[in-house]
Amino acid sequence: MKTLIVYCHPYNKSFNHAVLTAVKENLIQNKRDFNIIDLYQDGFNPIYDREELRLFHEGGTHDPLVKKYLTMLQGATTIIFITPLWWNSIPGMLKGFIDKVMKEGTGLSHTVSKTGIHGELTNIKHTYVLTTSTSPKFYLRLFCGNAIKKIFINQTLRQLGMQDRHWLHFGCITNSSLARRQKYLSKIEKYHFK
């Protein structure tokens, strides 16, 4: 069982980085094999240029990181996204990852037919999205349209074939106490990632 972590935060002293550390500790303690895609550290360019768009329908790319990332996705059985929510949605860097890496074509991330999109990443049996934000989870659900759950998790990731999707959120990050943060990190260290 291979786990892939997709980490999206530019600052290595952020709470998201502490969440990444807790996830890694969990996987090490449970003797799980894992790889990490660190979008900022890798210098991933999320911009979709003309050449990338031209190559899209051929399943091609001119970005070597796109090829590397797609291969990593195809080899994973579990995926864990770790990202902040900025302005009630995923950051542009993570959106660019989805836009550029998810290539149309048989054997890639998805195929398109007359009846819609068919996800090719069915090898990913378990999907986890770990987010942080200044807003509490109830606010995101009730007053912001629940976009992360409705669009990113239940539409985009489902359409790509990713299964058994879960959302864990740490809200009110700005005003959270050290004790509350430590309690959450302890929960992540003990969480049962399948």
Side-chain angles (χ1 to χ4, degrees), residues 163-183:
Q163 302 165 52
D164 188 35
R165 297 168 305 279
H166 303 270
W167 179 26
L168 288 81
H169 182 70
F170 187 90
C172 302
I173 186 82
T174 306
N175 299 313
S176 62
S177 66
L178 179 60
R180 182 168 167 256
R181 291 180 191 205
Q182 288 173 331
K183 182 178 178 183

Side-chain angles (χ1 to χ4, degrees), residues 1 4 7 19 44 83 86 91 99 116 131 142 159 169 183 187:
M1 213 166 27
L4 179 62
Y7 176 65
V19 171
F44 178 67
T83 183
W86 291 340
D99 288 346
T131 59
L142 298 176
Q159 284 180 306
H169 182 70
K183 182 178 178 183
K187 172 185 169 182

Side-chain angles (χ1 to χ4, degrees), residues 114-194:
K114 291 179 183 177
T115 58
I117 295 173
H118 174 72
E120 299 283 345
L121 295 174
T122 56
N123 53 289
I124 299 176
K125 304 296 182 195
H126 307 286
T127 306
Y128 301 91
V129 179
L130 281 61
T131 59
T132 61
S133 75
T134 56
S135 300
K137 194 172 189 177
F138 82 86
Y139 185 84
L140 294 170
R141 282 183 168 164
L142 298 176
F143 300 105
C144 297
N146 204 11
I148 297 305
K149 185 78 171 172
K150 287 182 178 178
I151 305 299
F152 183 63
I153 297 171
N154 288 345
Q155 292 300 320
T156 304
L157 300 182
R158 180 189 59 79
Q159 284 180 306
L160 291 167
M162 298 180 192
Q163 302 165 52
D164 188 35
R165 297 168 305 279
H166 303 270
W167 179 26
L168 288 81
H169 182 70
F170 187 90
C172 302
I173 186 82
T174 306
N175 299 313
S176 62
S177 66
L178 179 60
R180 182 168 167 256
R181 291 180 191 205
Q182 288 173 331
K183 182 178 178 183
Y184 182 77
L185 294 174
S186 179
K187 172 185 169 182
I188 295 301
E189 285 179 8
K190 295 173 186 149
Y191 191 85
H192 180 62
F193 293 105
K194 296 180 183 175

Side-chain angles (χ1 to χ4, degrees), residues 63-80:
D63 185 338
L65 280 177
V66 168
K67 290 178 187 174
K68 176 183 174 184
Y69 292 165
L70 188 53
T71 300
M72 293 170 81
L73 284 159
Q74 291 168 328
T77 55
T78 296
I79 190 165
I80 303 170

